[in-house]
Amino acid sequence: EFKNVTFGYDRSYPVLKDVSLSIKPGEMIGIVGPSGSGKTTLINLLCRFYDATYGSIEIDGHDIRTYPRAELRARFGYVEQDAPTIAGTLAENLRLASPGASDADCERVLRAVNLGDVLERSPLGLEAPVGEDGVMLSGGERQRLAIARALLTEAPILLLDESTSSLDGVNEQRMREAIDAVASGRTLI
């Protein structure tokens, strides 16, 4: 739970000043604003890619600076706007964040984000290649693969940084359906 948190970040220009918010476990919230208003900065602060210059950010009543970074980041499934896809297989891409994940778990998260058809396109299933930078997948499939990778970590908090911004209408709808399906029981920002 993020509760009554006030913080700011200022690198010699005004970005995110005097932000205060509370997010309860299991809530789904959207941060809306124009380009450059600090949406990605907020996510970077939550993950401690850098620290607030004043105030604090707390999870479950504890300042995030008290957690080792690896422990803190294990609480988040992070899907960035242009999530990377490596040359390799579906399984290798999924296991980037969860190396010990079983084939059954990989298939489960792919189906949860509406990628069952990608599994069935090739007789290789999880071992199907995705190509350099995921060229064998559509943009929507690459984004849903990134969400599946985040789900595989079983992180209680999902951070989606403009994950639908570059998708066409059909893929955006499929992405939204995938997000709705996997948001249950998780906090979604």
Side-chain angles (χ1 to χ4, degrees):
E1 178 175 14
F2 302 95
K3 189 173 182 182
N4 297 322
V5 176
T6 302
F7 61 92
Y9 180 77
D10 185 359
R11 270 206 182 159
S12 73
Y13 56 91
V15 178
L16 286 184
K17 283 193 172 187
D18 301 323
V19 175
S20 181
L21 64 124
S22 295
I23 304 168
K24 294 181 180 152
E27 274 190 320
M28 184 184 304
I29 69 150
I31 308 295
V32 180
S35 181
S37 63
K39 299 179 299 290
T40 299
T41 299
L42 176 63
I43 289 174
N44 289 338
L45 289 165
L46 292 173
C47 294
R48 285 198 67 208
F49 294 139
Y50 38 84
D51 289 322
T53 53
Y54 63 89
S56 67
I57 300 172
E58 298 178 356
I59 296 180
D60 297 331
H62 301 283
D63 189 312
I64 64 171
R65 291 173 287 204
T66 64
Y67 293 101
R69 280 188 166 91
E71 182 182 326
L72 174 70
R73 291 177 185 158
R75 293 174 174 251
F76 299 110
Y78 179 33
V79 181
E80 56 198 293
Q81 183 174 354
D82 295 313
T85 305
I86 62 166
T89 67
L90 286 169
E92 289 168 333
N93 273 276
L94 287 169
R95 290 185 176 121
L96 284 173
S98 302
S102 70
D103 285 354
D105 287 335
C106 290
E107 288 183 21
R108 177 183 51 81
V109 297
L110 286 173
R111 293 189 193 290
V113 298
N114 298 322
L115 284 176
D117 58 329
V118 172
L119 272 174
E120 293 152 12
R121 258 195 316 235
S122 167
L124 296 174
L126 287 171
E127 296 308 314
V130 297
E132 190 74 30
D133 295 325
V135 297
M136 297 173 88
L137 301 172
S138 72
E141 289 169 341
R142 284 192 300 274
Q143 284 300 101
R144 284 182 277 141
L145 180 62
I147 289 180
R149 184 171 44 234
L151 290 177
L152 199 56
T153 68
E154 297 185 1
I157 303 167
L158 292 178
L159 303 172
L160 305 178
D161 189 3
E162 299 191 38
S163 58
T164 63
S165 66
S166 62
L167 302 181
D168 62 32
V170 171
N171 278 314
E172 182 174 352
Q173 182 58 37
R174 292 183 99 186
M175 178 72 92
R176 289 184 191 284
E177 290 168 3
I179 290 167
D180 288 344
V182 299
S184 178
R186 290 186 169 87
T187 302
L188 182 67
I189 303 171

